[in-house]
Amino acid sequence: MKKTLIALALVAAGMAAAPAFAQDANGAGGWFINGNVGRTSVDKDRYDGHDTGYALNGGYRWTVTPWAALGVEAGYNDLGNINAKNFFNGDRVVDRRKSELHGWTAGVNGHFNVDPKWYISGRAGIYGWKGHGVSNDDVTRRDLDKTSWYAGVGVGYDFTPNWSLGINYDHYDAKKDGLDLSTNMTSVSAEYRF
């Protein structure tokens, strides 16, 4: 968790220095906030299901060409709760407690216009997560935390220089001590650029 706090501090320091750099690539450069809501899925060991998750991010992008902006981001997500399955027959286990996965992100991102309005996006970074669940080797529910990684891609449409909507696919790696809560999220996102 200390590594995550250090990374977030470095991202914040980079964001504070941001105004000294160029501001605009088809409206994608500068400060931004975005939010995602979508379907999360887990298909690992005892967990095999889906739920609804969300993510909130903020950051800054620098214009590197007229069609590309690269930047830094930090955010938080909650990837939902999935029921555990019985190892032998796939039914839900008697224990009704679900998996949980949520955490903080800090990373880099890019916004690449393939047309004046359409764009492709990408992101990757570190993921400081907390999770709860049961592994195949144990029936005791465990509370775990670790720093791992996340990555994602998306496509979207810039309605104005400030507003865009997109569709994203993200993977959040979350493995520790034989418990794999790694989660994928397919989501709709909205972004506002200042």
Side-chain angles (χ1 to χ4, degrees):
M1 198 58 160
K2 289 180 184 178
K3 291 179 186 176
T4 302
L5 293 175
I6 292 169
L8 289 173
L10 290 173
V11 169
M15 291 166 72
F21 294 91
Q23 288 280 328
D24 194 25
N26 286 338
W31 293 99
F32 69 89
I33 57 171
N34 60 40
N36 302 35
V37 175
R39 180 180 172 126
T40 60
S41 63
V42 177
D43 183 12
K44 305 286 185 205
D45 301 326
R46 193 169 279 210
Y47 295 99
D48 183 6
H50 56 84
D51 197 11
T52 300
Y54 70 88
L56 300 170
N57 293 295
Y60 189 89
R61 285 192 205 102
W62 293 271
T63 300
V64 293
T65 72
W67 54 270
L70 299 175
V72 294
E73 66 182 16
Y76 176 80
N77 63 44
D78 186 330
L79 301 177
N81 305 302
I82 308 292
N83 283 310
K85 303 291 183 183
N86 186 301
F87 185 71
F88 298 104
N89 62 22
D91 293 335
R92 215 161 61 171
V93 296
V94 175
D95 183 354
R96 300 247 183 232
R97 291 177 292 182
K98 300 177 179 183
S99 73
E100 296 175 33
L101 183 62
H102 55 93
W104 294 93
T105 58
V108 295
N109 65 71
H111 185 104
F112 309 96
N113 285 86
V114 294
D115 173 276
K117 295 289 187 179
W118 289 97
Y119 69 86
I120 296 171
S121 65
R123 66 208 134 276
I126 60 172
Y127 182 42
W129 60 271
K130 285 188 178 249
H132 312 281
V134 178
S135 71
N136 283 337
D137 302 330
D138 195 358
V139 293
T140 305
R141 183 176 166 86
R142 292 184 284 158
D143 298 336
L144 302 171
D145 61 83
K146 185 177 177 182
T147 301
S148 192
W149 61 273
Y150 75 97
V153 295
V155 62
Y157 188 81
D158 293 323
F159 287 95
T160 72
N162 300 98
W163 284 102
S164 65
L165 288 177
I167 298 172
N168 302 290
Y169 178 81
D170 297 287
H171 176 79
Y172 298 90
D173 186 70
K175 301 174 195 168
K176 185 176 181 181
D177 299 337
L179 180 59
D180 190 349
L181 298 174
S182 297
T183 302
N184 299 316
M185 181 164 75
T186 304
S187 63
V188 174
S189 66
E191 180 172 281
Y192 180 75
R193 294 178 290 275
F194 298 94

